[in-house]
Amino acid sequence: MVDFAGWAMPLHYGSQIAEHEAVRSHAGLFDVSHMAVTDLAGEGARAMLRELLANDVAKLDGRPGRALYSCLLNEQGGVIDDLIVYARGEERGYRIISNAATRERVLPYLLDEAQRRGLDAAARDELAMIAVQGPQAPALLEAVYGAAAEPALALRPFQSTELEAAFIGRTGYTGEDGFEIVLPAERSAELWHRLHEAGGTPCGLGARDSLRLEAGLNLNGHEMDEQTSPLAAGLDWTVAWEPAERDFVGRQALEAQRRQGPQQRLIGLVVEGRAPAREGYTVRTDAGEGVITSGGYAPSVGAPVALARVPAAASGGYRVVIRNREVPARAVQPPFVRHGKVRV
Amino acid sequence: MSQVPEDLKYTRNHEWARAEADGTVTVGITDHAQETLGDLVFVEPPEEGTELRAEEACAVVESVKAASDVYSPIGGEVIQGNEALGDSPELVNSDPYGEGWILQIRPADPSELDNLLDAAAYQELVADEG
């Protein structure tokens, strides 16, 4: 067990690598109740999110159940947090799922802003969250919910539905098919046991990290932070520049960066040999030095891989400094693994 | 409960040492150590001929979690590192006292072995760490 943002969480339930492989080949279960759930409703909720988020919730208009990934920026264009916002129809508004590590910063910000605007907003601490991830995730849901699972099984990626007391999104953090299930905490242990009995492998934080790394998914505090813009973190695609008149927090700073061209960018590296290239290690390039933001042994690739922030002008000659030795690395476009297939 | 074989000597840093019949000493990390580290993904044993002092860092083991140094229980010359670990670092997890050995030393002073913990003392150390 380790402390993660004040939550006691298992790093693994036995073997991190076995858990990792279970998700790629079958299905794994993650207790992700540490994630922060905030509900926001009322006339003006849409306007608030259009002002606060770098992505545009107008994309969700008239599409209840749809979800959107976005960064929450500061005025300097740095990333306070990354989150998923689900549209739940006009009456119920939006559900926002954000990180545990940034909770003390983000929740007061959202709740104060909502209060100032006279909106209904609530941190839903009584809710737990279980992620079911892997090619067998639909079968597990069917085993537990029976025919009632059908609307959930029909979801496409980044869609959600409500089933009994549960809120189910076809989302995840592993690069595999799967669901994230938000439900009252007092019912979560029973669901966990039933998913386990149906064949789901309990997985800890360790596998969660190696799976998301292989999937090329950023982790806040590693690939991005308040000093790093989404443009330097490979998240350009999450910034909605149009319509130009939408003046979201951080827009001016991002536009200035965009005009000048970002100084840095995020790349994937496959490192030669077996020695893991870890967070904080230096990366030498043909255009100066960069740094590894996340790295480790990738069980599905069978090699060490890393995400690295390097000078934007770098075009090759990548070498990672591991214990004073330069180890050559190959730049690749993440994801390293998606839907069980190695892509690098 | 982790395994602590009776016939080995141990360090406070969770290495084990076995005096072989030919006068050499084989070194590895304990069952408790491999359990704490989690799945090993990389082991770098020292090169043949390296001269080691007792308690000198002599190998690196990396798990999915972190990199750790292995310290030599005694001084001497490295006869060989376990080459099988290059492709199969997980042998340290599955068989820490057997196929997962890390290096073999020709001791400079075999009596240094007497400074190490016996199985009972090591077991107590592990129990105290909880």
Short mmCIF file of all heavy atoms in Angstrom, two decimals, chain A residues 180-229:
data_model
loop_
_atom_site.label_atom_id
_atom_site.label_comp_id
_atom_site.label_asym_id
_atom_site.label_seq_id
_atom_site.Cartn_x
_atom_site.Cartn_y
_atom_site.Cartn_z
N GLU A 180 -15.75 3.05 -17.04
CA GLU A 180 -15.55 3.59 -15.70
C GLU A 180 -16.93 3.75 -15.08
O GLU A 180 -17.82 4.35 -15.68
CB GLU A 180 -14.78 4.92 -15.78
CG GLU A 180 -13.33 4.69 -16.21
CD GLU A 180 -12.52 5.95 -16.41
OE1 GLU A 180 -12.96 6.84 -17.16
OE2 GLU A 180 -11.43 6.06 -15.83
N ILE A 181 -17.08 3.16 -13.91
CA ILE A 181 -18.40 3.08 -13.27
C ILE A 181 -18.38 3.91 -11.99
O ILE A 181 -17.60 3.62 -11.08
CB ILE A 181 -18.75 1.62 -12.95
CG1 ILE A 181 -18.64 0.76 -14.22
CG2 ILE A 181 -20.16 1.53 -12.34
CD1 ILE A 181 -18.79 -0.74 -13.98
N VAL A 182 -19.22 4.93 -11.95
CA VAL A 182 -19.33 5.79 -10.77
C VAL A 182 -20.61 5.38 -10.04
O VAL A 182 -21.67 5.32 -10.66
CB VAL A 182 -19.41 7.27 -11.18
CG1 VAL A 182 -19.56 8.16 -9.95
CG2 VAL A 182 -18.17 7.66 -11.98
N LEU A 183 -20.49 5.06 -8.76
CA LEU A 183 -21.68 4.60 -8.03
C LEU A 183 -21.54 4.91 -6.55
O LEU A 183 -20.44 5.22 -6.08
CB LEU A 183 -21.93 3.10 -8.25
CG LEU A 183 -21.07 2.08 -7.49
CD1 LEU A 183 -21.64 0.69 -7.70
CD2 LEU A 183 -19.62 2.12 -7.92
N PRO A 184 -22.67 4.87 -5.80
CA PRO A 184 -22.58 5.17 -4.36
C PRO A 184 -21.56 4.25 -3.68
O PRO A 184 -21.54 3.04 -3.94
CB PRO A 184 -24.00 4.90 -3.86
CG PRO A 184 -24.86 5.07 -5.06
CD PRO A 184 -24.05 4.58 -6.22
N ALA A 185 -20.75 4.85 -2.81
CA ALA A 185 -19.65 4.10 -2.19
C ALA A 185 -20.14 2.84 -1.49
O ALA A 185 -19.48 1.80 -1.55
CB ALA A 185 -18.90 5.00 -1.21
N GLU A 186 -21.33 2.91 -0.88
CA GLU A 186 -21.78 1.74 -0.11
C GLU A 186 -22.13 0.56 -1.03
O GLU A 186 -22.29 -0.56 -0.56
CB GLU A 186 -22.94 2.10 0.82
CG GLU A 186 -24.26 2.41 0.13
CD GLU A 186 -24.41 3.89 -0.22
OE1 GLU A 186 -23.40 4.63 -0.17
OE2 GLU A 186 -25.53 4.31 -0.56
N ARG A 187 -22.27 0.80 -2.32
CA ARG A 187 -22.56 -0.30 -3.23
C ARG A 187 -21.34 -0.77 -4.00
O ARG A 187 -21.39 -1.71 -4.78
CB ARG A 187 -23.64 0.13 -4.21
CG ARG A 187 -24.92 0.56 -3.49
CD ARG A 187 -26.00 0.92 -4.44
NE ARG A 187 -26.45 -0.24 -5.21
CZ ARG A 187 -27.62 -0.29 -5.82
NH1 ARG A 187 -28.44 0.72 -5.74
NH2 ARG A 187 -27.96 -1.36 -6.50
N SER A 188 -20.21 -0.07 -3.81
CA SER A 188 -19.05 -0.32 -4.66
C SER A 188 -18.36 -1.64 -4.32
O SER A 188 -17.86 -2.32 -5.22
CB SER A 188 -18.07 0.84 -4.57
OG SER A 188 -17.61 0.99 -3.25
N ALA A 189 -18.32 -2.01 -3.04
CA ALA A 189 -17.63 -3.25 -2.67
C ALA A 189 -18.33 -4.45 -3.31
O ALA A 189 -17.68 -5.36 -3.83
CB ALA A 189 -17.57 -3.39 -1.16
N GLU A 190 -19.67 -4.41 -3.30
CA GLU A 190 -20.41 -5.52 -3.89
C GLU A 190 -20.13 -5.63 -5.39
O GLU A 190 -19.90 -6.71 -5.92
CB GLU A 190 -21.91 -5.34 -3.64
CG GLU A 190 -22.70 -6.57 -4.01
CD GLU A 190 -24.17 -6.27 -4.32
OE1 GLU A 190 -24.66 -5.20 -3.94
OE2 GLU A 190 -24.81 -7.13 -4.96
N LEU A 191 -20.15 -4.48 -6.07
CA LEU A 191 -19.87 -4.49 -7.51
C LEU A 191 -18.47 -5.03 -7.78
O LEU A 191 -18.26 -5.84 -8.69
CB LEU A 191 -20.03 -3.08 -8.10
CG LEU A 191 -19.67 -2.98 -9.60
CD1 LEU A 191 -20.64 -3.82 -10.44
CD2 LEU A 191 -19.68 -1.52 -10.07
N TRP A 192 -17.51 -4.56 -6.97
CA TRP A 192 -16.12 -5.01 -7.12
C TRP A 192 -16.05 -6.53 -7.01
O TRP A 192 -15.42 -7.20 -7.84
CB TRP A 192 -15.25 -4.35 -6.05
CG TRP A 192 -13.82 -4.80 -6.06
CD1 TRP A 192 -13.28 -5.86 -5.41
CD2 TRP A 192 -12.74 -4.18 -6.76
NE1 TRP A 192 -11.94 -5.96 -5.65
CE2 TRP A 192 -11.57 -4.93 -6.48
CE3 TRP A 192 -12.64 -3.05 -7.60
CZ2 TRP A 192 -10.32 -4.60 -7.01
CZ3 TRP A 192 -11.40 -2.73 -8.11
CH2 TRP A 192 -10.25 -3.49 -7.83
N HIS A 193 -16.72 -7.10 -5.98
CA HIS A 193 -16.67 -8.55 -5.78
C HIS A 193 -17.31 -9.30 -6.94
O HIS A 193 -16.82 -10.32 -7.38
CB HIS A 193 -17.32 -8.93 -4.44
CG HIS A 193 -16.51 -8.47 -3.26
ND1 HIS A 193 -15.16 -8.77 -3.13
CD2 HIS A 193 -16.83 -7.72 -2.19
CE1 HIS A 193 -14.71 -8.22 -2.01
NE2 HIS A 193 -15.70 -7.58 -1.43
N ARG A 194 -18.41 -8.75 -7.44
CA ARG A 194 -19.08 -9.43 -8.55
C ARG A 194 -18.24 -9.38 -9.83
O ARG A 194 -18.19 -10.35 -10.58
CB ARG A 194 -20.47 -8.83 -8.76
CG ARG A 194 -21.38 -9.11 -7.57
CD ARG A 194 -22.76 -8.52 -7.74
NE ARG A 194 -23.48 -9.18 -8.83
CZ ARG A 194 -24.65 -8.75 -9.29
NH1 ARG A 194 -25.19 -7.66 -8.79
NH2 ARG A 194 -25.26 -9.41 -10.25
N LEU A 195 -17.61 -8.26 -10.07
CA LEU A 195 -16.72 -8.15 -11.24
C LEU A 195 -15.53 -9.08 -11.10
O LEU A 195 -15.05 -9.68 -12.06
CB LEU A 195 -16.25 -6.71 -11.43
CG LEU A 195 -17.30 -5.71 -11.91
CD1 LEU A 195 -16.83 -4.27 -11.70
CD2 LEU A 195 -17.65 -5.93 -13.39
N HIS A 196 -15.06 -9.21 -9.87
CA HIS A 196 -13.93 -10.10 -9.59
C HIS A 196 -14.35 -11.55 -9.84
O HIS A 196 -13.66 -12.32 -10.51
CB HIS A 196 -13.47 -9.89 -8.15
CG HIS A 196 -12.22 -10.65 -7.80
ND1 HIS A 196 -11.92 -11.02 -6.51
CD2 HIS A 196 -11.22 -11.12 -8.57
CE1 HIS A 196 -10.78 -11.68 -6.51
NE2 HIS A 196 -10.33 -11.76 -7.74
N GLU A 197 -15.52 -11.91 -9.30
CA GLU A 197 -16.02 -13.28 -9.51
C GLU A 197 -16.23 -13.58 -10.98
O GLU A 197 -16.05 -14.71 -11.44
CB GLU A 197 -17.37 -13.47 -8.79
CG GLU A 197 -17.23 -13.83 -7.34
CD GLU A 197 -18.56 -13.65 -6.59
OE1 GLU A 197 -19.63 -13.67 -7.26
OE2 GLU A 197 -18.50 -13.47 -5.37
N ALA A 198 -16.59 -12.54 -11.75
CA ALA A 198 -16.83 -12.73 -13.19
C ALA A 198 -15.52 -12.85 -13.97
O ALA A 198 -15.54 -13.06 -15.18
CB ALA A 198 -17.66 -11.57 -13.73
N GLY A 199 -14.38 -12.69 -13.28
CA GLY A 199 -13.10 -12.92 -13.95
C GLY A 199 -12.19 -11.72 -14.06
O GLY A 199 -11.12 -11.79 -14.67
N GLY A 200 -12.59 -10.59 -13.49
CA GLY A 200 -11.74 -9.40 -13.55
C GLY A 200 -10.57 -9.52 -12.59
O GLY A 200 -10.73 -9.99 -11.47
N THR A 201 -9.39 -9.11 -13.02
CA THR A 201 -8.18 -9.16 -12.20
C THR A 201 -8.00 -7.83 -11.45
O THR A 201 -7.90 -6.79 -12.09
CB THR A 201 -6.94 -9.38 -13.09
OG1 THR A 201 -7.11 -10.61 -13.80
CG2 THR A 201 -5.66 -9.43 -12.27
N PRO A 202 -7.98 -7.85 -10.12
CA PRO A 202 -7.72 -6.60 -9.39
C PRO A 202 -6.34 -6.05 -9.74
O PRO A 202 -5.36 -6.80 -9.77
CB PRO A 202 -7.78 -7.02 -7.91
CG PRO A 202 -8.59 -8.28 -7.91
CD PRO A 202 -8.25 -8.97 -9.21
N CYS A 203 -6.28 -4.76 -10.04
CA CYS A 203 -5.04 -4.13 -10.48
C CYS A 203 -4.75 -2.91 -9.61
O CYS A 203 -5.65 -2.16 -9.26
CB CYS A 203 -5.15 -3.65 -11.92
SG CYS A 203 -5.46 -4.96 -13.11
N GLY A 204 -3.47 -2.68 -9.33
CA GLY A 204 -3.06 -1.57 -8.49
C GLY A 204 -2.57 -0.38 -9.29
O GLY A 204 -2.61 -0.37 -10.53
N LEU A 205 -2.07 0.61 -8.55
CA LEU A 205 -1.58 1.84 -9.17
C LEU A 205 -0.42 1.61 -10.11
O LEU A 205 -0.24 2.33 -11.08
CB LEU A 205 -1.08 2.79 -8.07
CG LEU A 205 -2.07 3.71 -7.39
CD1 LEU A 205 -1.30 4.59 -6.40
CD2 LEU A 205 -2.79 4.58 -8.40
N GLY A 206 0.40 0.59 -9.81
CA GLY A 206 1.57 0.31 -10.64
C GLY A 206 1.16 -0.04 -12.06
O GLY A 206 1.67 0.54 -13.04
N ALA A 207 0.23 -0.98 -12.19
CA ALA A 207 -0.24 -1.37 -13.53
C ALA A 207 -0.97 -0.21 -14.20
O ALA A 207 -0.87 -0.01 -15.41
CB ALA A 207 -1.15 -2.59 -13.44
N ARG A 208 -1.71 0.56 -13.40
CA ARG A 208 -2.40 1.72 -13.97
C ARG A 208 -1.37 2.64 -14.64
O ARG A 208 -1.61 3.17 -15.72
CB ARG A 208 -3.14 2.46 -12.85
CG ARG A 208 -3.97 3.66 -13.30
CD ARG A 208 -4.94 4.05 -12.20
NE ARG A 208 -5.51 5.37 -12.34
CZ ARG A 208 -6.56 5.67 -13.09
NH1 ARG A 208 -7.13 4.74 -13.82
NH2 ARG A 208 -7.03 6.91 -13.14
N ASP A 209 -0.21 2.80 -13.99
CA ASP A 209 0.81 3.69 -14.54
C ASP A 209 1.49 3.09 -15.77
O ASP A 209 1.70 3.78 -16.76
CB ASP A 209 1.84 4.04 -13.47
CG ASP A 209 2.69 5.23 -13.89
OD1 ASP A 209 2.12 6.25 -14.30
OD2 ASP A 209 3.93 5.12 -13.84
N SER A 210 1.84 1.79 -15.73
CA SER A 210 2.54 1.23 -16.90
C SER A 210 1.59 1.10 -18.10
O SER A 210 2.00 1.24 -19.24
CB SER A 210 3.20 -0.11 -16.56
OG SER A 210 2.30 -1.04 -16.00
N LEU A 211 0.30 0.88 -17.83
CA LEU A 211 -0.68 0.80 -18.92
C LEU A 211 -0.89 2.16 -19.58
O LEU A 211 -0.91 2.28 -20.81
CB LEU A 211 -2.01 0.25 -18.40
CG LEU A 211 -2.00 -1.25 -18.06
CD1 LEU A 211 -3.11 -1.58 -17.07
CD2 LEU A 211 -2.14 -2.09 -19.32
N ARG A 212 -1.00 3.20 -18.75
CA ARG A 212 -1.25 4.53 -19.34
C ARG A 212 0.00 5.02 -20.07
O ARG A 212 -0.09 5.71 -21.07
CB ARG A 212 -1.75 5.51 -18.29
CG ARG A 212 -0.77 6.01 -17.25
CD ARG A 212 -0.09 7.30 -17.62
NE ARG A 212 1.06 7.51 -16.75
CZ ARG A 212 2.01 8.37 -17.00
NH1 ARG A 212 2.00 9.12 -18.08
NH2 ARG A 212 3.04 8.50 -16.18
N LEU A 213 1.18 4.64 -19.55
CA LEU A 213 2.42 5.03 -20.22
C LEU A 213 2.47 4.39 -21.61
O LEU A 213 2.73 5.06 -22.61
CB LEU A 213 3.63 4.62 -19.38
CG LEU A 213 5.00 4.78 -20.03
CD1 LEU A 213 5.29 6.25 -20.37
CD2 LEU A 213 6.11 4.23 -19.12
N GLU A 214 2.22 3.10 -21.69
CA GLU A 214 2.20 2.42 -22.99
C GLU A 214 1.13 3.02 -23.92
O GLU A 214 1.30 3.06 -25.14
CB GLU A 214 1.91 0.93 -22.81
CG GLU A 214 3.10 0.15 -22.31
CD GLU A 214 2.87 -1.36 -22.31
OE1 GLU A 214 1.69 -1.80 -22.40
OE2 GLU A 214 3.84 -2.09 -22.22
N ALA A 215 0.02 3.46 -23.33
CA ALA A 215 -1.06 4.05 -24.13
C ALA A 215 -0.74 5.48 -24.54
O ALA A 215 -1.52 6.11 -25.26
CB ALA A 215 -2.38 3.99 -23.36
N GLY A 216 0.41 6.01 -24.06
CA GLY A 216 0.81 7.37 -24.42
C GLY A 216 -0.09 8.42 -23.79
O GLY A 216 -0.22 9.52 -24.33
N LEU A 217 -0.69 8.10 -22.66
CA LEU A 217 -1.59 9.05 -21.99
C LEU A 217 -0.83 9.83 -20.93
O LEU A 217 -0.09 9.26 -20.13
CB LEU A 217 -2.78 8.30 -21.36
CG LEU A 217 -3.66 7.56 -22.38
CD1 LEU A 217 -4.64 6.62 -21.68
CD2 LEU A 217 -4.43 8.57 -23.24
N ASN A 218 -1.04 11.12 -20.92
CA ASN A 218 -0.34 11.99 -19.99
C ASN A 218 -0.84 11.80 -18.56
O ASN A 218 -2.00 11.47 -18.34
CB ASN A 218 -0.58 13.45 -20.36
CG ASN A 218 0.17 13.85 -21.62
OD1 ASN A 218 0.72 13.00 -22.31
ND2 ASN A 218 0.18 15.13 -21.91
N LEU A 219 0.06 12.05 -17.61
CA LEU A 219 -0.32 12.07 -16.20
C LEU A 219 0.02 13.45 -15.65
O LEU A 219 1.17 13.90 -15.74
CB LEU A 219 0.44 10.98 -15.42
CG LEU A 219 0.23 10.96 -13.90
CD1 LEU A 219 -1.24 10.83 -13.53
CD2 LEU A 219 1.04 9.84 -13.27
N ASN A 220 -0.98 14.11 -15.10
CA ASN A 220 -0.76 15.45 -14.58
C ASN A 220 0.29 15.40 -13.47
O ASN A 220 0.33 14.49 -12.66
CB ASN A 220 -2.07 16.04 -14.06
CG ASN A 220 -1.99 17.54 -13.90
OD1 ASN A 220 -1.23 18.20 -14.61
ND2 ASN A 220 -2.73 18.08 -12.96
N GLY A 221 1.17 16.42 -13.46
CA GLY A 221 2.27 16.41 -12.50
C GLY A 221 3.52 15.76 -13.07
O GLY A 221 4.59 15.82 -12.49
N HIS A 222 3.37 15.11 -14.21
CA HIS A 222 4.50 14.46 -14.88
C HIS A 222 4.69 15.06 -16.28
O HIS A 222 5.62 15.80 -16.51
CB HIS A 222 4.29 12.95 -14.95
CG HIS A 222 4.19 12.34 -13.58
ND1 HIS A 222 5.22 11.67 -13.00
CD2 HIS A 222 3.20 12.37 -12.66
CE1 HIS A 222 4.86 11.29 -11.78
NE2 HIS A 222 3.63 11.70 -11.56
N GLU A 223 3.74 14.78 -17.19
CA GLU A 223 3.84 15.36 -18.54
C GLU A 223 3.44 16.84 -18.53
O GLU A 223 3.83 17.59 -19.40
CB GLU A 223 2.94 14.60 -19.52
CG GLU A 223 3.58 13.33 -20.04
CD GLU A 223 3.84 12.33 -18.94
OE1 GLU A 223 2.92 12.08 -18.13
OE2 GLU A 223 4.98 11.83 -18.84
N MET A 224 2.59 17.22 -17.59
CA MET A 224 2.21 18.62 -17.53
C MET A 224 2.03 19.07 -16.10
O MET A 224 1.81 18.26 -15.20
CB MET A 224 0.95 18.90 -18.37
CG MET A 224 -0.29 18.22 -17.88
SD MET A 224 -0.42 16.50 -18.45
CE MET A 224 -2.20 16.35 -18.51
N ASP A 225 2.15 20.39 -15.92
CA ASP A 225 1.95 21.00 -14.62
C ASP A 225 1.65 22.48 -14.87
O ASP A 225 1.50 22.88 -16.03
CB ASP A 225 3.19 20.81 -13.73
CG ASP A 225 4.45 21.30 -14.40
OD1 ASP A 225 4.42 22.34 -15.09
OD2 ASP A 225 5.50 20.65 -14.25
N GLU A 226 1.60 23.27 -13.81
CA GLU A 226 1.18 24.66 -13.99
C GLU A 226 2.20 25.50 -14.75
O GLU A 226 1.91 26.60 -15.18
CB GLU A 226 0.85 25.30 -12.63
CG GLU A 226 -0.39 24.69 -12.01
CD GLU A 226 -1.24 25.68 -11.24
OE1 GLU A 226 -1.31 26.86 -11.65
OE2 GLU A 226 -1.83 25.29 -10.22
N GLN A 227 3.43 24.96 -14.89
CA GLN A 227 4.44 25.69 -15.66
C GLN A 227 4.53 25.18 -17.11
O GLN A 227 5.33 25.66 -17.89
CB GLN A 227 5.84 25.53 -15.01
CG GLN A 227 6.06 26.45 -13.81
CD GLN A 227 5.26 26.00 -12.60
OE1 GLN A 227 5.31 24.85 -12.21
NE2 GLN A 227 4.50 26.91 -12.01
N THR A 228 3.75 24.15 -17.44
CA THR A 228 3.85 23.54 -18.77
C THR A 228 2.54 23.74 -19.52
O THR A 228 1.47 23.46 -18.99
CB THR A 228 4.13 22.03 -18.63
OG1 THR A 228 5.26 21.86 -17.77
CG2 THR A 228 4.42 21.40 -19.97
N SER A 229 2.65 24.20 -20.73
CA SER A 229 1.43 24.43 -21.51
C SER A 229 1.01 23.15 -22.22
O SER A 229 1.83 22.26 -22.45
CB SER A 229 1.68 25.54 -22.54
OG SER A 229 1.85 25.00 -23.82
#
